[in-house]
Amino acid sequence: MALLELRNVSKIYHTGGEEIRALDDVSLELNNGEFISIIGPSGSGKSTLMHILGCLDLPTKGEVWLDGINISKASQRELARVRNRTIGFVFQSFNLLPKLSVLQNVELPMVYAGIGGSQRRERATAALNLVELGHRLKNRPNQLSGGQQQRVAIARALVNDPKIILADEPTGNLDTHTGEVILNLFRQLSIQGRTVILVTHNPEIAAVTPRRVEIRNGKVAERVDERLAGLHRQAAAAGMAAGLGVPG
Amino acid sequence: MTFLNAIIVGLKEIAANKFRSALTMLGIILGVSSLVAMFAMTQGLENGLREALVAVGGLQKIRVEAQPVPTEQRHLRDFATGVTLRDVYALQASASEVDVVSPEMRLDSSPVLSANGRTYRTFMTSGVWPVQVELMEHQVEHGRMFTEADDSDARNVCVIGTGIRDELFGRPEDTGNPVIPLGRTMNINGVPFTIIGMFEHYESEMDRKVRLAREAEAAAARAAGPQSGAKRDRGWRGGGRQGNFAFWIKNNTVYLPLNTMWMKMKSGQTNGPAEPRLSNMEIRIRDVEQMDRALTQVRNVLLVNHRGIEDFAFRTQEDWADQIQSSVRNARLSGGLIAGISLFVGGIGIMNIMLASISERIREIGIRKAVGAAGFDIFTQIVVESVTVAVVGGLLGLLCSRLVVWLISQVTPTDNEPVITLGAMAFAFAFSFLVGVLAGLFPAFKAARMSVIQALRYD
Ligand SMILES: Nc1ncnc2c1ncn2[C@@H]1O[C@H](COP(=O)(O)OP(=O)(O)OP(=O)(O)O)[C@@H](O)[C@H]1O
Ligand SMILES: [Mg+2]
């Protein structure tokens, strides 16, 4: 059985009498340990899909099944628990708390998981070291660059050791080197048996993931656009793979 | 998230918005302090009134007064004896609920006292038994009360209050040394008496403080040198305040032995009856709870003596006590209402700020929920924040209430010193806590129900 399954999911917004189908009858199965990239033009509904996969939003129509639970019918309390323990979400716009320090931001999911202070600090520091931000623990988010904030958001997503990691354009704000580091991190996580789902505009990144899903106008495309997925540029893909090195 | 965590998050939020929190608290501070101050004022009022009640003998004291024969018994008028010593003896012998009986015989018209070259028309001079001192809660400070021997010999001795001393011999405040006219002769309506005792000076707690302060001032002024020029005397020294009136009357007491009053002041001058008629009797009953029973008993005993003629009446202090109770209750209600309104306004202030801070923090709430905060966690956080603001404000308000009470007593000095009671403090504090909870509930509910993406998209 699939870990995460969408069955005929639609998300419809009504704005000013106009109906916007951000997602239109999407069915998708994601299995445990998969490493997937989601590609598609801007405004096609990628973020909307991610929010629904991440249990942050409920579909207008259709069902979402996570680990055998019907998310559309789950209680608020269960949803909060799923968001806290099972899913790590990296937002396109970071969504860090401006009044808390970097360390406190990363500790936040553990606060709601009821983990004690010293362990919290330890794990948050480890997660920040992983994204190479161990030296900026006391800073406020607005004292960091966009890429650094992105990495804080990633550390926060990882810190509660979730089964599923959803990242909405995690490398969009990063330079090539840091982007590679982060991508490598996601790959490692995937190899550890976690399910990793990335949204990306970068064909080179899409080329790295074993599975690609393309969204077009709120629908899952039948055939993945080879140019978007970076598959036509074998050389580039090879170069990317070389840059990442052999995991292990 | 644990409760402790919610409290810490709430406290941090307050610290992060110091000015806003302070403004919010101000409402609670003012509300709590005015509530406590209001209760302190009414408590002071009550204390003052009760003090006066105790000064005249408390609730246990009943006065039996001679009355004209009632209309329906007019035809028996010639048999009416009035209140006499026989009644006193009868009550002592047969009324078990009666503890002490003290007869009193007053001069009919206001007597003229003269001594030391001055005269003073007082309003009351009574012939009594020594036991009257006990009954009226008098304290002889100088000399002694007259004894039963003085009474049976009908000696011309008297005991006076400090008010009489002030009029005839001068106030110690004015002369600068204690004036104790023991052994001096005082004429009452021309009949000479020796002053053998003087009561202590009676005053309310507040007056005592004022007087001591004034004495200290006067001592300083004397040290500075004599004043010249005409002095202005404003005459009335009683102060005219309700509570103090009782003390003023008490200070103007003149007591003679009952027999002296009868033999020297009455029988020789009037065509009265052969048997001494009393103006009234003061009775102290054993148990205030048994007031009705005691009154019935006294009435029955007296009716036997009076051949069924009801030419007497009772006067208890119950009316006064009731009046104290109701005026205190009114003061407390109206004051509490006003203070309660200001506390309520403070609560609305908290609620307003909480709602505003939530609109400001909808994204924050969205983020917290996205990383796993349950609705309950958000709810707790907001309520804790609001309660913390209210409770800290409440505590500061308790501190400020002392200041407010001091301020009020400076601006409008009363004869009743405000008393801050623990109960009032507890009440005001509990009220502020409640206001905090209520003010937090609605915003917390609103915040907790919001969906994550909806909140994150909010701008
Ligand atoms: N709250 C909303 N109300 C109305 N329309 C919305 C809302 N959220 C999203 N949409 C619409 O849904 C569509 C999909 O939006 P979405 O954010 O999922 O796009 P995206 O694929 O993530 O784009 P990008 O690559 O630019 O991030 C867009 O047309 C957007 O305007
Ligand atoms: Mg997007």
Side-chain angles (χ1 to χ4, degrees), chain A residues 46-47 92 168-169:
Chain A
K46 302 183 297 294
S47 294
Q92 194 170 5
D168 199 346
E169 296 216 38

Side-chain angles (χ1 to χ4, degrees), chain B residues 30-73:
Chain B
L30 290 179
V32 164
S33 54
S34 55
L35 197 66
V36 171
M38 202 54 94
F39 280 140
M41 306 287 286
T42 45
Q43 190 64 44
L45 177 70
E46 180 174 6
N47 286 359
L49 293 174
R50 295 224 175 277
E51 214 176 287
L53 178 64
V54 169
V56 296
L59 272 176
Q60 281 174 298
K61 207 190 68 174
I62 300 168
R63 168 171 293 182
V64 182
E65 285 176 334
Q67 287 284 301
V69 179
T71 329
E72 69 274 15
Q73 291 182 322

Side-chain angles (χ1 to χ4, degrees), chain B residues 55 78 102 198 335 372 381-382 424 459:
Chain B
D78 291 344
S102 172
M198 185 170 76
Q381 182 192 334
I382 304 288
D459 266 321

Side-chain angles (χ1 to χ4, degrees), chain B residues 74-108:
Chain B
R74 263 304 149 69
H75 57 289
L76 299 171
R77 190 169 48 207
D78 291 344
F79 298 98
T81 52
V83 180
T84 64
L85 276 178
R86 287 198 304 130
D87 296 326
V88 176
Y89 298 132
L91 284 176
Q92 280 176 338
S94 355
S96 57
E97 290 293 334
V98 171
D99 186 22
V100 180
V101 188
S102 172
E104 185 172 348
M105 190 187 290
R106 294 181 182 168
L107 281 179
D108 294 328

Side-chain angles (χ1 to χ4, degrees), chain B residues 2 22 40 44 60 80 103 125 179 194 223 265-266 280-281 289 325 400 422 456:
Chain B
T2 60
Q60 281 174 298
T125 295
V179 183
T194 308
M265 310 295 289
K266 291 246 178 177
N280 53 277
M281 292 184 287
E289 302 299 314
Q325 211 112 56
C400 282
L422 214 66
L456 285 175

Side-chain angles (χ1 to χ4, degrees), chain A residues 13 51 56-57 76-77 80-81 83-84 91 93 95-97 99-100 104 108-109 111-112 114 120 156, chain B residues 1 5 12-13 16-17 361 363-364 367-374 377-378 381 451-453 456-457:
Chain A
Y13 293 108
H51 293 153
L56 298 171
D57 212 354
Q76 285 293 320
R77 182 184 277 265
R81 210 183 141 77
R83 288 195 288 261
N84 189 225
F91 289 96
S93 50
N95 282 333
L96 300 172
L97 287 180
K99 280 182 202 156
L100 301 187
Q104 286 170 321
L108 204 60
V111 168
Y112 292 110
R120 243 165 31 203
R156 186 179 64 185
Chain B
M1 188 164 67
N5 251 318
K12 276 185 186 152
E13 192 57 39
N17 301 290
R361 287 160 50 197
R363 272 177 67 85
E364 177 197 329
I367 293 169
R368 286 179 184 274
K369 287 178 100 171
V371 300
D377 297 322
I378 301 295
Q381 182 192 334
S451 99
V452 178
I453 291 301
L456 285 175
R457 283 262 158 93

Side-chain angles (χ1 to χ4, degrees), chain B residues 101-408:
Chain B
V101 188
S102 172
E104 185 172 348
M105 190 187 290
R106 294 181 182 168
L107 281 179
D108 294 328
S109 54
S110 43
V112 177
L113 309 178
S114 59
N116 196 28
R118 305 188 203 180
T119 57
Y120 173 49
R121 184 176 279 268
T122 186
F123 48 88
M124 208 166 62
T125 295
S126 309
V128 296
W129 282 355
V131 74
Q132 178 86 350
V133 167
E134 182 192 335
L135 223 144
M136 296 299 284
E137 313 269 344
H138 277 297
Q139 295 295 326
V140 181
E141 191 178 32
H142 302 285
R144 61 175 178 88
M145 182 63 185
F146 46 77
T147 60
E148 274 161 36
D150 292 319
D151 185 47
S152 52
D153 286 3
R155 290 180 191 148
N156 285 18
V157 291
C158 67
V159 178
I160 61 172
T162 53
I164 305 293
R165 182 265 327 259
D166 289 349
E167 294 297 341
L168 294 179
F169 301 97
R171 291 149 59 87
E173 288 91 332
D174 299 338
T175 55
N177 43 33
V179 183
I180 305 161
L182 293 187
R184 303 282 290 268
T185 299
M186 175 174 80
N187 290 325
I188 304 174
N189 285 347
V191 182
F193 283 81
T194 308
I195 300 169
I196 60 165
M198 185 170 76
F199 299 122
E200 68 174 30
H201 183 64
Y202 306 110
E203 59 198 341
S204 65
E205 278 305 310
M206 191 67 185
D207 276 358
R208 188 187 306 282
K209 285 185 187 153
V210 170
R211 179 174 56 86
L212 290 178
R214 203 178 290 151
E215 271 174 21
E217 213 170 87
R222 264 194 303 281
Q227 281 179 312
S228 61
K231 269 207 298 187
R232 181 165 73 169
D233 188 347
R234 304 179 118 193
W236 174 256
R237 306 204 204 291
R241 301 171 193 130
Q242 194 192 0
N244 289 19
F245 190 61
F247 294 103
W248 183 72
I249 289 178
K250 201 169 168 180
N251 281 328
N252 274 277
T253 305
V254 179
Y255 281 159
L256 334 170
L258 185 67
N259 269 326
T260 313
M261 174 64 89
W262 170 243
M263 294 169 73
K264 307 276 176 65
M265 310 295 289
K266 291 246 178 177
S267 61
Q269 296 164 13
T270 65
N271 297 324
E275 189 171 23
R277 280 204 178 183
L278 302 174
S279 342
N280 53 277
M281 292 184 287
E282 301 285 354
I283 293 175
R284 191 172 69 200
I285 60 173
R286 288 185 202 283
D287 185 2
V288 191
E289 302 299 314
Q290 300 291 333
M291 174 74 85
D292 287 340
R293 201 175 126 85
L295 285 179
T296 316
Q297 208 175 47
V298 171
R299 184 167 176 272
N300 288 343
V301 170
L302 292 184
L303 279 181
V304 169
N305 259 2
H306 290 230
R307 302 173 203 188
I309 302 171
E310 223 171 330
D311 56 350
F312 55 87
F314 299 119
R315 174 169 297 186
T316 67
Q317 314 287 351
E318 286 167 304
D319 279 353
W320 194 359
D322 285 350
Q323 207 182 321
I324 289 175
Q325 211 112 56
S326 73
S327 60
V328 165
R329 191 176 341 105
N330 288 345
R332 191 166 284 164
L333 261 177
S334 52
L337 200 70
I338 291 168
I341 288 172
S342 64
L343 200 53
F344 185 72
V345 169
I348 290 176
I350 292 190
M351 186 128 124
N352 199 1
I353 296 281
M354 282 292 149
L355 276 173
S357 80
I358 278 162
S359 324
E360 206 173 86
R361 287 160 50 197
I362 280 176
R363 272 177 67 85
E364 177 197 329
I365 289 166
I367 293 169
R368 286 179 184 274
K369 287 178 100 171
V371 300
F376 175 77
D377 297 322
I378 301 295
F379 186 82
T380 317
Q381 182 192 334
I382 304 288
V383 169
V384 163
E385 270 182 51
S386 140
V387 166
T388 309
V389 170
V391 160
V392 172
L395 287 176
L396 289 177
L398 291 185
L399 288 180
C400 282
S401 62
R402 299 190 71 89
L403 192 77
V404 172
V405 165
W406 179 82
L407 254 172
I408 292 175

